[in-house]
mmCIF file of all heavy atoms in Angstrom:
data_model
loop_
_atom_site.group_PDB
_atom_site.id
_atom_site.type_symbol
_atom_site.label_atom_id
_atom_site.label_comp_id
_atom_site.label_asym_id
_atom_site.label_seq_id
_atom_site.Cartn_x
_atom_site.Cartn_y
_atom_site.Cartn_z
ATOM 1 N N CYS N 120 131.502 151.760 33.373
ATOM 2 C CA CYS N 120 132.741 151.138 33.850
ATOM 3 C C CYS N 120 133.533 150.464 32.733
ATOM 4 O O CYS N 120 134.719 150.163 32.922
ATOM 5 C CB CYS N 120 132.447 150.141 34.976
ATOM 6 S SG CYS N 120 132.041 150.960 36.531
ATOM 7 N N PHE N 121 132.911 150.226 31.581
ATOM 8 C CA PHE N 121 133.687 149.768 30.430
ATOM 9 C C PHE N 121 134.776 150.786 30.109
ATOM 10 O O PHE N 121 135.927 150.440 29.851
ATOM 11 C CB PHE N 121 132.788 149.596 29.206
ATOM 12 C CG PHE N 121 132.020 148.301 29.152
ATOM 13 C CD1 PHE N 121 131.824 147.525 30.280
ATOM 14 C CD2 PHE N 121 131.465 147.865 27.962
ATOM 15 C CE1 PHE N 121 131.118 146.329 30.226
ATOM 16 C CE2 PHE N 121 130.750 146.671 27.885
ATOM 17 C CZ PHE N 121 130.579 145.913 29.016
ATOM 18 N N TYR N 122 134.383 152.058 30.105
ATOM 19 C CA TYR N 122 135.318 153.118 29.740
ATOM 20 C C TYR N 122 136.474 153.210 30.735
ATOM 21 O O TYR N 122 137.642 153.314 30.348
ATOM 22 C CB TYR N 122 134.594 154.463 29.662
ATOM 23 C CG TYR N 122 133.458 154.493 28.674
ATOM 24 C CD1 TYR N 122 132.150 154.698 29.091
ATOM 25 C CD2 TYR N 122 133.676 154.319 27.311
ATOM 26 C CE1 TYR N 122 131.097 154.734 28.185
ATOM 27 C CE2 TYR N 122 132.637 154.347 26.403
ATOM 28 C CZ TYR N 122 131.348 154.554 26.844
ATOM 29 O OH TYR N 122 130.308 154.580 25.954
ATOM 30 N N SER N 123 136.140 153.173 32.025
ATOM 31 C CA SER N 123 137.205 153.307 33.029
ATOM 32 C C SER N 123 138.123 152.090 33.027
ATOM 33 O O SER N 123 139.343 152.232 33.206
ATOM 34 C CB SER N 123 136.599 153.514 34.423
ATOM 35 O OG SER N 123 135.706 152.468 34.767
ATOM 36 N N SER N 124 137.575 150.893 32.804
ATOM 37 C CA SER N 124 138.422 149.700 32.762
ATOM 38 C C SER N 124 139.404 149.758 31.592
ATOM 39 O O SER N 124 140.570 149.352 31.723
ATOM 40 C CB SER N 124 137.558 148.445 32.651
ATOM 41 O OG SER N 124 136.812 148.234 33.823
ATOM 42 N N ILE N 125 138.946 150.253 30.458
ATOM 43 C CA ILE N 125 139.827 150.400 29.291
ATOM 44 C C ILE N 125 140.899 151.444 29.567
ATOM 45 O O ILE N 125 142.097 151.217 29.348
ATOM 46 C CB ILE N 125 138.992 150.788 28.050
ATOM 47 C CG1 ILE N 125 138.054 149.635 27.665
ATOM 48 C CG2 ILE N 125 139.900 151.157 26.879
ATOM 49 C CD1 ILE N 125 136.986 150.024 26.655
ATOM 50 N N ARG N 126 140.457 152.583 30.073
ATOM 51 C CA ARG N 126 141.388 153.686 30.345
ATOM 52 C C ARG N 126 142.430 153.296 31.391
ATOM 53 O O ARG N 126 143.622 153.597 31.241
ATOM 54 C CB ARG N 126 140.586 154.912 30.816
ATOM 55 C CG ARG N 126 141.419 156.148 31.087
ATOM 56 C CD ARG N 126 140.537 157.340 31.430
ATOM 57 N NE ARG N 126 139.723 157.107 32.629
ATOM 58 C CZ ARG N 126 138.406 156.948 32.613
ATOM 59 N NH1 ARG N 126 137.735 156.966 31.474
ATOM 60 N NH2 ARG N 126 137.747 156.762 33.748
ATOM 61 N N ASN N 127 141.995 152.629 32.458
ATOM 62 C CA ASN N 127 142.904 152.280 33.548
ATOM 63 C C ASN N 127 143.970 151.280 33.128
ATOM 64 O O ASN N 127 145.006 151.152 33.795
ATOM 65 C CB ASN N 127 142.116 151.720 34.733
ATOM 66 C CG ASN N 127 141.255 152.775 35.408
ATOM 67 O OD1 ASN N 127 141.458 153.977 35.204
ATOM 68 N ND2 ASN N 127 140.290 152.347 36.196
ATOM 69 N N ASN N 128 143.736 150.569 32.038
ATOM 70 C CA ASN N 128 144.735 149.623 31.529
ATOM 71 C C ASN N 128 145.557 150.198 30.379
ATOM 72 O O ASN N 128 146.310 149.464 29.734
ATOM 73 C CB ASN N 128 144.038 148.330 31.095
ATOM 74 C CG ASN N 128 143.689 147.435 32.278
ATOM 75 O OD1 ASN N 128 144.560 146.829 32.884
ATOM 76 N ND2 ASN N 128 142.412 147.386 32.625
ATOM 77 N N GLY N 129 145.397 151.501 30.128
ATOM 78 C CA GLY N 129 146.219 152.169 29.127
ATOM 79 C C GLY N 129 145.830 151.867 27.698
ATOM 80 O O GLY N 129 146.632 152.074 26.777
ATOM 81 N N CYS N 130 144.598 151.384 27.496
ATOM 82 C CA CYS N 130 144.149 151.056 26.143
ATOM 83 C C CYS N 130 143.320 152.190 25.545
ATOM 84 O O CYS N 130 142.874 153.101 26.245
ATOM 85 C CB CYS N 130 143.332 149.763 26.153
ATOM 86 S SG CYS N 130 144.316 148.302 26.560
ATOM 87 N N GLU N 131 143.090 152.099 24.261
ATOM 88 C CA GLU N 131 142.287 153.090 23.549
ATOM 89 C C GLU N 131 140.874 152.549 23.349
ATOM 90 O O GLU N 131 140.684 151.448 22.844
ATOM 91 C CB GLU N 131 142.912 153.397 22.191
ATOM 92 C CG GLU N 131 142.109 154.382 21.348
ATOM 93 C CD GLU N 131 142.665 154.560 19.945
ATOM 94 O OE1 GLU N 131 143.774 154.020 19.667
ATOM 95 O OE2 GLU N 131 141.999 155.203 19.111
ATOM 96 N N MET N 132 139.878 153.344 23.753
ATOM 97 C CA MET N 132 138.483 152.961 23.559
ATOM 98 C C MET N 132 138.038 153.372 22.167
ATOM 99 O O MET N 132 138.238 154.502 21.744
ATOM 100 C CB MET N 132 137.600 153.640 24.612
ATOM 101 C CG MET N 132 136.136 153.184 24.604
ATOM 102 S SD MET N 132 135.105 153.947 23.306
ATOM 103 C CE MET N 132 135.132 155.664 23.797
ATOM 104 N N VAL N 133 137.407 152.446 21.456
ATOM 105 C CA VAL N 133 136.830 152.715 20.140
ATOM 106 C C VAL N 133 135.365 152.311 20.200
ATOM 107 O O VAL N 133 135.051 151.199 20.625
ATOM 108 C CB VAL N 133 137.556 151.927 19.033
ATOM 109 C CG1 VAL N 133 136.874 152.144 17.685
ATOM 110 C CG2 VAL N 133 139.026 152.332 18.965
ATOM 111 N N SER N 134 134.467 153.207 19.787
ATOM 112 C CA SER N 134 133.040 152.911 19.872
ATOM 113 C C SER N 134 132.440 152.560 18.518
ATOM 114 O O SER N 134 132.510 153.343 17.576
ATOM 115 C CB SER N 134 132.266 154.089 20.471
ATOM 116 O OG SER N 134 130.895 153.762 20.605
ATOM 117 N N ASN N 135 131.868 151.370 18.453
ATOM 118 C CA ASN N 135 130.985 150.988 17.349
ATOM 119 C C ASN N 135 129.585 151.425 17.789
ATOM 120 O O ASN N 135 128.798 150.663 18.302
ATOM 121 C CB ASN N 135 131.047 149.478 17.129
ATOM 122 C CG ASN N 135 129.923 148.933 16.272
ATOM 123 O OD1 ASN N 135 129.253 147.967 16.656
ATOM 124 N ND2 ASN N 135 129.685 149.512 15.134
ATOM 125 N N SER N 136 129.315 152.727 17.621
ATOM 126 C CA SER N 136 128.112 153.335 18.187
ATOM 127 C C SER N 136 126.850 152.636 17.700
ATOM 128 O O SER N 136 126.689 152.365 16.503
ATOM 129 C CB SER N 136 128.046 154.822 17.817
ATOM 130 O OG SER N 136 129.178 155.503 18.313
ATOM 131 N N LEU N 137 125.965 152.350 18.625
ATOM 132 C CA LEU N 137 124.691 151.741 18.271
ATOM 133 C C LEU N 137 123.826 152.735 17.504
ATOM 134 O O LEU N 137 123.897 153.947 17.736
ATOM 135 C CB LEU N 137 123.962 151.264 19.530
ATOM 136 C CG LEU N 137 124.655 150.137 20.300
ATOM 137 C CD1 LEU N 137 123.920 149.849 21.606
ATOM 138 C CD2 LEU N 137 124.767 148.877 19.456
ATOM 139 N N VAL N 138 123.017 152.222 16.600
ATOM 140 C CA VAL N 138 122.144 153.055 15.772
ATOM 141 C C VAL N 138 120.777 153.144 16.436
ATOM 142 O O VAL N 138 120.149 152.115 16.733
ATOM 143 C CB VAL N 138 121.997 152.461 14.355
ATOM 144 C CG1 VAL N 138 121.036 153.303 13.519
ATOM 145 C CG2 VAL N 138 123.368 152.369 13.685
ATOM 146 N N TYR N 139 120.313 154.352 16.680
ATOM 147 C CA TYR N 139 119.028 154.588 17.329
ATOM 148 C C TYR N 139 117.929 154.575 16.274
ATOM 149 O O TYR N 139 117.778 155.516 15.505
ATOM 150 C CB TYR N 139 119.098 155.925 18.065
ATOM 151 C CG TYR N 139 117.832 156.391 18.747
ATOM 152 C CD1 TYR N 139 116.788 155.527 19.053
ATOM 153 C CD2 TYR N 139 117.705 157.723 19.125
ATOM 154 C CE1 TYR N 139 115.653 155.964 19.693
ATOM 155 C CE2 TYR N 139 116.568 158.185 19.775
ATOM 156 C CZ TYR N 139 115.542 157.306 20.052
ATOM 157 O OH TYR N 139 114.403 157.761 20.697
ATOM 158 N N ASN N 140 117.169 153.492 16.227
ATOM 159 C CA ASN N 140 116.048 153.369 15.304
ATOM 160 C C ASN N 140 114.821 153.996 15.968
ATOM 161 O O ASN N 140 114.206 153.397 16.844
ATOM 162 C CB ASN N 140 115.787 151.889 14.977
ATOM 163 C CG ASN N 140 114.680 151.696 13.956
ATOM 164 O OD1 ASN N 140 113.755 152.496 13.856
ATOM 165 N ND2 ASN N 140 114.763 150.611 13.195
ATOM 166 N N LYS N 141 114.453 155.194 15.539
ATOM 167 C CA LYS N 141 113.376 155.943 16.194
ATOM 168 C C LYS N 141 111.989 155.418 15.832
ATOM 169 O O LYS N 141 111.006 155.786 16.482
ATOM 170 C CB LYS N 141 113.488 157.428 15.862
ATOM 171 C CG LYS N 141 114.736 158.080 16.436
ATOM 172 C CD LYS N 141 114.719 159.589 16.256
ATOM 173 C CE LYS N 141 115.949 160.220 16.888
ATOM 174 N NZ LYS N 141 115.925 161.699 16.785
ATOM 175 N N VAL N 142 111.907 154.592 14.808
ATOM 176 C CA VAL N 142 110.621 153.984 14.457
ATOM 177 C C VAL N 142 110.371 152.767 15.337
ATOM 178 O O VAL N 142 109.323 152.625 15.975
ATOM 179 C CB VAL N 142 110.578 153.600 12.966
ATOM 180 C CG1 VAL N 142 109.273 152.877 12.645
ATOM 181 C CG2 VAL N 142 110.739 154.844 12.097
#
Side-chain angles (χ1 to χ4, degrees):
C120 286
F121 278 19
Y122 301 117
S123 56
S124 292
I125 294 167
R126 182 175 60 250
N127 292 343
N128 282 288
C130 293
E131 178 186 352
M132 187 281 296
V133 176
S134 183
N135 165 231
S136 300
L137 295 174
V138 178
Y139 177 19
N140 183 331
K141 294 188 178 183
V142 176

